[in-house]
Amino acid sequence: MNASQLPSFNCSSSSFPDSEEERNAFQQFCRCYIPPESWHTVAEVVLSKLLLVISILGNLLVIYVLQRMKRNGDQQSAMKLLIQNLSVADMLVCIMYNVNEAIGIDSRFTTTPVCKLFAGLLWTTLSVSSCLICCVSAERYLAVVKPFDFALDTRRTILLVGFSWYYSLVFTIPDFYFLTKLETPYCGKGIISYCSYDFMRGTDISVIYTMTVSATFLVPIFFIVCVNIALIRSLLASQGSKLFRKFRPTIKDAKKRRGVVFIVLLLTAIFVVCSLPFATYLMLNALDATVPQQVVVVAYYLMLVNSTANAFVYSFFSVEFRRNCKKLFLLPLNCFK
């Protein structure tokens, strides 16, 4: 449809055509985009705030209770420190997401520096969470397969945490660089400012974006799946070996060992299930493929659900964690008595 064939529309009207063809003609004639019915539905807003509260309270509980728990040996203390940093990263993911939702579209805070800072930090914290789960999985694998040759101490844990942040910052630099404030005319609403990538205006960085998504999501997911498959195979093989029966101290220790491994496996399974749709969406977006809006919403909220999983996994599947939580919650009652 050329310019001479375009029908006449009232561009100041807040009502828009129903058919797709007429809507496209309306946008072409008025040189603006028809806004969505709602940037975010009420259910999405309530769900994101609910997950934010659960993530903050749950992960703070994990951090505090783990700090109160008595750990015997440097390796258990180092594992505690690793899980605490994972909880911090998960909590930051939900916080950064909600901050971006608040300032990302048509806000007085929607400026280029704010877009670069908070949107960039969102992808960095997502990547840090992925890297720390890789570290937790690798530590459990080495502790099970090479219990006499491997020992994780506090110094190595600090190096792993530092490497996770360094790795994530390196591969999320494009987010800090290309994210900016864009302005687009929306029909009936005027000029709307929002945070987006500069390549939306024509700069092709699909190769860089694909590399970033691969390094921060696809590679960690692949690594975690391979490590946990190897861990399960090693556990199944060791159950019937004479060496395993010889060095197994007590039934209680064996149950605790299996419990820790089960928690790690469950954490990584939740991470893979929740992160794979999000990583797939990012990869399709990098390849300029059309993704339905419903798929995008599900992918984002699965990512947020992953950030709330730590507290529930530890609460329901760790006897020692439940015992310490009970002591913590009964403390005010005991003080009152």
Side-chain angles (χ1 to χ4, degrees):
M1 185 179 292
N2 55 43
S4 62
Q5 296 175 322
L6 288 176
S8 178
F9 293 105
N10 181 13
C11 296
S12 60
S13 174
S14 58
S15 60
F16 309 109
D18 295 328
S19 68
E20 189 68 24
E21 184 178 355
E22 290 183 346
R23 290 170 73 90
N24 292 333
F26 184 93
Q27 293 178 127
Q28 188 177 355
F29 178 81
C30 297
R31 296 182 179 180
C32 62
Y33 293 97
I34 295 177
E37 295 181 3
S38 170
W39 297 112
H40 297 287
T41 64
V42 176
E44 291 177 19
V45 173
V46 172
L47 181 59
S48 64
K49 299 303 181 288
L50 178 63
L51 291 175
L52 173 65
V53 173
I54 294 174
S55 178
I56 292 176
L57 295 179
N59 284 296
L60 285 177
L61 178 67
V62 170
I63 294 170
Y64 182 72
V65 172
L66 284 177
Q67 192 63 36
R68 286 170 52 92
M69 289 168 62
K70 295 181 181 180
R71 295 290 183 177
N72 299 321
D74 291 338
Q75 186 166 353
Q76 291 184 336
S77 298
M79 188 64 179
K80 178 186 76 174
L81 182 60
L82 202 57
I83 295 294
Q84 285 176 323
N85 279 276
L86 175 61
S87 297
V88 170
D90 285 339
M91 184 170 55
L92 288 175
V93 168
C94 278
I95 293 174
M96 290 297 107
Y97 175 82
N98 280 272
V99 170
N100 276 282
E101 290 298 291
I103 58 94
I105 299 177
D106 198 24
S107 167
R108 62 191 182 95
F109 299 106
T110 309
T111 60
T112 295
V114 172
C115 290
K116 291 181 182 296
L117 176 62
F118 288 102
L121 283 176
L122 172 61
W123 303 125
T124 301
T125 53
L126 282 168
S127 178
V128 170
S129 179
S130 304
C131 291
L132 288 175
I133 293 181
C134 288
C135 295
V136 171
S137 300
E139 190 276 338
R140 283 296 90 191
Y141 173 77
L142 292 173
V144 170
V145 176
K146 298 182 178 181
F148 306 109
D149 301 329
F150 173 76
L152 184 68
D153 53 20
T154 304
R155 179 176 174 274
R156 288 182 179 179
T157 303
I158 294 174
L159 290 176
L160 288 175
V161 173
F163 173 77
S164 298
W165 280 97
Y166 174 77
Y167 177 90
S168 301
L169 285 169
V170 166
F171 283 101
T172 54
I173 284 177
D175 292 296
F176 289 97
Y177 182 77
F178 288 103
L179 280 163
T180 185
K181 170 189 174 182
L182 299 180
E183 293 182 341
T184 299
Y186 279 91
C187 307
K189 291 183 176 292
I191 303 297
I192 299 295
S193 57
Y194 59 95
C195 295
S196 186
Y197 289 92
D198 192 41
F199 67 78
M200 298 292 288
R201 295 187 293 186
T203 306
D204 184 13
I205 60 165
S206 57
V207 175
I208 298 177
Y209 192 60
T210 303
M211 181 185 69
T212 302
V213 174
S214 300
T216 55
F217 287 101
L218 298 183
V219 171
I221 289 174
F222 179 77
F223 176 83
I224 288 169
V225 170
C226 291
V227 167
N228 281 281
I229 290 175
L231 177 59
I232 294 172
R233 291 182 60 184
S234 176
L235 285 173
L236 293 176
S238 64
Q239 291 290 335
S241 68
K242 295 180 180 179
L243 184 64
F244 180 81
R245 292 195 297 268
K246 180 179 179 181
F247 287 100
R248 182 170 57 189
T250 62
I251 297 178
K252 182 179 179 181
D253 290 339
K255 288 183 178 180
K256 183 181 292 187
R257 177 173 174 266
R258 289 196 299 268
V260 172
V261 173
F262 177 75
I263 290 173
V264 174
L265 290 176
L266 186 60
L267 272 177
T268 52
I270 292 172
F271 169 75
V272 171
V273 171
C274 294
S275 298
L276 194 58
F278 186 68
T280 304
Y281 155 67
L282 291 179
M283 184 58 69
L284 292 175
N285 192 35
L287 299 175
D288 200 22
T290 303
V291 183
Q293 184 62 29
Q294 294 81 358
V295 175
V296 177
V297 172
V298 171
Y300 268 94
Y301 282 99
L302 278 177
M303 176 263 296
L304 293 180
V305 168
N306 173 67
S307 299
T308 66
N310 274 337
F312 293 102
V313 172
Y314 275 94
S315 298
F316 287 105
F317 295 100
S318 173
V319 176
E320 189 177 359
F321 188 90
R322 290 199 304 269
R323 186 183 303 117
N324 280 270
C325 282
K326 184 178 180 180
K327 291 180 181 179
L328 177 64
F329 292 139
L330 292 178
L331 186 61
L333 180 61
N334 293 332
C335 292
F336 179 76
K337 288 181 179 180

